[in-house]
Amino acid sequence: MPSYKAPLEDVGFLLNDVFQIDRYDNLPGFSDASADVRDAILNEAAKLSEQVLQPLNRVGDKEGCTRHDDGRVTTPTGFKEAYKQVSEGGWLGLSAPEEFGGQGLPSTLSHTVAEFLTSANMAFSMYHGLTMGATAALLVHGRPEQKAIFIPKMVTGEWTGTMNLTEPQCGTDLGLLRTKAIKQADGSYKITGTKIFISAGEHDLSENIIHLVLARIEGAPAGIKGVSLFVVPKILVNADGSLGGRNGVTCGAIEHKMGIHGNATCVMNYDDATGWLIGEENKGMQGMFVMMNEARLGVAVQGLAQSEVAYQNAVIYAQERLQGRSLTGAKATDKPADPIIVHPDIRRTLLTIRAFNEAARAMVVWTALKGDVAHRSEDPKERQAADDHMGLMTPVLKGVLTDVGFANAVSAQQVWGGHGYIADNGMEQFVRDARIAMIYEGANGIQALDLVGRKLPRDGGRAAMAFFAEVAAFAKEHGGDEAMQPFVAPLSRALGDLQKATTWLMMNAMAQPDNAGAGATDYMKLFGLVGFAYMWAKMIKVTQDKIAQSGATPYLTSKLTTGRFFMERMLPETALHLTRIESGCATIMELPAEAF
Amino acid sequence: MPSYKAPLEDVGFLLNDVFQIDRYDNLPGFSDASADVRDAILNEAAKLSEQVLQPLNRVGDKEGCTRHDDGRVTTPTGFKEAYKQVSEGGWLGLSAPEEFGGQGLPSTLSHTVAEFLTSANMAFSMYHGLTMGATAALLVHGRPEQKAIFIPKMVTGEWTGTMNLTEPQCGTDLGLLRTKAIKQADGSYKITGTKIFISAGEHDLSENIIHLVLARIEGAPAGIKGVSLFVVPKILVNADGSLGGRNGVTCGAIEHKMGIHGNATCVMNYDDATGWLIGEENKGMQGMFVMMNEARLGVAVQGLAQSEVAYQNAVIYAQERLQGRSLTGAKATDKPADPIIVHPDIRRTLLTIRAFNEAARAMVVWTALKGDVAHRSEDPKERQAADDHMGLMTPVLKGVLTDVGFANAVSAQQVWGGHGYIADNGMEQFVRDARIAMIYEGANGIQALDLVGRKLPRDGGRAAMAFFAEVAAFAKEHGGDEAMQPFVAPLSRALGDLQKATTWLMMNAMAQPDNAGAGATDYMKLFGLVGFAYMWAKMIKVTQDKIAQSGATPYLTSKLTTGRFFMERMLPETALHLTRIESGCATIMELPAEAF
């Protein structure tokens, strides 16, 4: 059975030392999150994850969710009690506004907590994650009375939320959606249609489920410009907030999936269901984008979270499994064989995962912090810069963290050899669960297109230029520092590759957009690598300073080694991506469709 | 539901045009495999795979195998009938010696047939694959009476075979094995112990199961030098070949695994089971190596096979799924959206898989042909050169084809978006099934170590030098051919990277063996890429000649494009592997085990 320990030391290092979150005390909510408060919260989240959620991870996978003939869906043994505990602990409201019952703390903190919960039990934590996404959309685009009715109950977890976008004929291309909305005399709408792949669409954890649903109002324009967003509660809510009758929305089936069995993925049938418009008619994508951006960062964290828990269990196995001898002579001479962690190839595997985990976590904290600045700062320029960063980094984080997170779960499983293929050992569940994160909330190919086609050119490339400038400034500032050379030099080279790739795309994608499409995934990966390298360089600088000030610790020493491993073995991949991008689209577009 | 079509045109091109198998007519069995005979056999194998085995693939996954309280194991619905059909069709005996009831045809042909069967149904085809592996070991190391009793029944499939190596405490490190063998007065042995992960260890497909079992004879030396190989039939066989009583071997449990549910993976309990020695006492590894080499090539084919079938189904989806519009303007203007194959990123994904499949298939045919030469040629020098090739390429094929085959199954699943995550669509099964091939028959890290630690230095590097010389000679011969330039130039560059890496290992691994371990996986991947590049260059030359002679066909035109894609986008990865290898082991070995 796998285990999990929340990476508290690493999180503390990032919040306190690398990003010095206390500097943001002027932002609302930050001064409430003093170091002591943060520690207490993170320790509590760790305990909850390790002791309550992690033990339910295998149970959830084995039992899955069950749809009964009457349309009810029940969750695996123990989920209900755990859900109650998480909700009552106030974990959903950590960074929700105080006026709706939240604690108003930085979202940086809630994203960190999300990593812990998700490492412990990804399928379970999605029930809360989706609720927080739906809450975010309501907060931005909901009318005052909608906010008043729904948000307080969602912040306590008494009610959960969902996102209803996909239909059988429409996934990425939401302009194709057919679900209909017909306006009623009282201002409400009757919603009819079928949605598929609805995570947490029906379950037994909460007394109500608040569906956010994309639909097309009768007479609306075709395509994406005729799509509106509605709130459709499973059980109707009276004006005083009390529950009324059952709405016309039911779960028609649950999907049998590769993983995340503990989360009910539903086909949802809307049959004259009563819904209320959120935001303006035909502007449904605006509200959906709020939810999607929130969700994309959440999904990126899933990639990291699965990579982290898979790493931890691979390490335990590698330290305990005795098999063969070190190439340089027996190490555990008192034992029949050496633990396999003596083997360079096992260490290479582990360090590859670890170097990603620590850089990815830093990028999440960095970006979440920008998110807080974007939402909470009073300085419009600061807000804009932070928002630029969020827009640019969200597809990179979603695409890269989930691609690499999955690959890492596979590598960690490999460390276990044949035992990694056996279900009860849990390693293969990490692989199956992590796999979905590359697909939902926009498949990673779409993230890459969002990056090159939308986020990169936006505002004349302002966001990307700011990022390049920040990295270049760091390299310049520390270029003369000899101890930083093994980190700054590769960082600068990698930034050079990214800038060349950016220039190539600017020169070649205008005339032939397929050049952007052909290079998109490589560009996203290249961007991610430079982001990681910058995080590593920043972390190493802080590590060196701390060691100089107060001496080495095992944690700090490992940081130095892991950072060097990243620079030597992982970052050189940037050149490969640049080569591929520069090879363009000609060969790729050559074959007729039927020749494949 | 997924479908499958055997790649007959590609196989024909390889056998007839690229490797010109008719040139080997002087070898025993080859003249019987004339072009007509080959076509008839391959067409028949295709039909069997497409119509009988493929439809059982989902069934096998869903139902899995069942162990009953009495220790019997039953296979999924339809497996028994299909097994009978495959056995009675003589497919197991295709390349078995005629004296034992086989057809004595080239193993090149049976490896090709194995690809078809495995694409159609990997879990099912393992029952035959293991039998063929056990047969191979008996053929080489069995005593005449053992051969006479067991092989004819295994060639017809009336009896199946297994390999029993792994025990709970011993996987890679077979020296740790504990299963005991006690010699009896009649020359037989009593075998006692527990073996785990035994594929096809118990089932209802055949009337007997012939277990080949590694065990330690009482008083044998410790470690690998005290391991002997035994044949232990499930049901004892009388001297006249008729079946006797039940032997002391039972299935204690079947494993619940990530994939290949249709194949029973058993815990086998040996309790004073009667067995007979194969080969000499304490020389068990010799027989096991025959089986393992046979099996490793078979597992390599599994990687290719899953990649091929996953590719085919990704193509079908990409051609049919309408979503979004081409970046260069709508293509299917009569439809609500374009098929997603218009998108460069989808094409990039598909071409990446395809360029691998076609090169990997060529490498399998090339290596299988060398296997035939090694076993059948009368010229000792030719035999030795072919055997060198087999020894060198087997770990490369096993490691690279299964690593990339799995990655390709994941990419193919990604093309399906959310629908790829749903079990009944079958794409995720390819991923789960393909995953095991990276692990069994020696995890891929072990293949890499076998390559750098054993196969590369063996006989002063003779095998590798011969391979480098062959590739260099090809590059020299065609270096002046302008049409070949886009293929020969990258091939030479990649060969240069491989030679540099080889030199680096020779210079640095002697003094510090961990340098070999730290670079092993990258070296294996680099080797595989150069092998693929050589295959592509050879195929392109033949393609160009054929086009010049008799004009282009869609198949030949696609070859040119796919080959160029490989050279432009995939082969440049060699430089990255070289960089990693040259970074050595220092950073990797730095951390103490407990710091991970």
Side-chain angles (χ1 to χ4, degrees), chain B residues 122-247:
Chain B
M122 177 164 154
F124 177 89
S125 66
M126 288 173 65
Y127 292 103
H128 294 107
L130 285 155
T131 303
M132 289 161 77
T135 306
L138 281 165
L139 273 172
V140 177
H141 292 281
R143 286 149 211 229
E145 67 274 19
Q146 292 172 339
K147 292 188 196 182
I149 287 181
F150 296 113
I151 296 179
K153 293 283 194 181
M154 293 167 81
V155 163
T156 58
E158 286 164 274
W159 300 352
T160 59
T162 72
M163 301 171 59
N164 287 242
L165 292 77
T166 308
E167 300 178 6
Q169 79 293 348
C170 104
T172 300
D173 189 354
L174 289 169
L176 299 175
L177 75 79
R178 294 188 191 140
T179 297
K180 275 187 316 191
I182 302 176
K183 196 164 186 171
Q184 307 297 302
D186 66 353
S188 70
Y189 291 78
K190 290 286 182 199
I191 316 272
T192 300
T194 298
K195 296 285 182 179
I196 62 169
F197 301 161
I198 307 309
S199 299
E202 179 61 63
H203 56 77
D204 56 358
L205 300 178
S206 63
E207 60 178 7
N208 203 0
I209 301 174
I210 310 307
H211 302 291
L212 298 199
V213 183
L214 284 185
R216 194 179 292 285
I217 297 173
E218 250 189 336
I224 200 71
K225 289 176 178 155
V227 169
S228 305
L229 181 63
F230 299 88
V231 55
V232 185
K234 169 181 163 183
I235 298 172
L236 293 164
V237 183
N238 300 319
D240 64 356
S242 64
L243 293 181
R246 192 71 162 76
N247 202 352

Side-chain angles (χ1 to χ4, degrees), chain A residues 344-378:
Chain A
D345 195 57
I346 296 286
R347 290 170 159 258
R348 179 191 60 79
T349 303
L350 295 175
L351 282 167
T352 302
I353 309 177
R354 181 181 181 137
F356 162 83
N357 290 351
E358 296 183 5
R361 184 173 297 119
M363 269 184 90
V364 167
V365 169
W366 185 36
T367 303
L369 203 46
K370 296 274 186 178
D372 280 323
V373 172
H375 290 120
R376 302 182 188 205
S377 170
E378 291 187 348

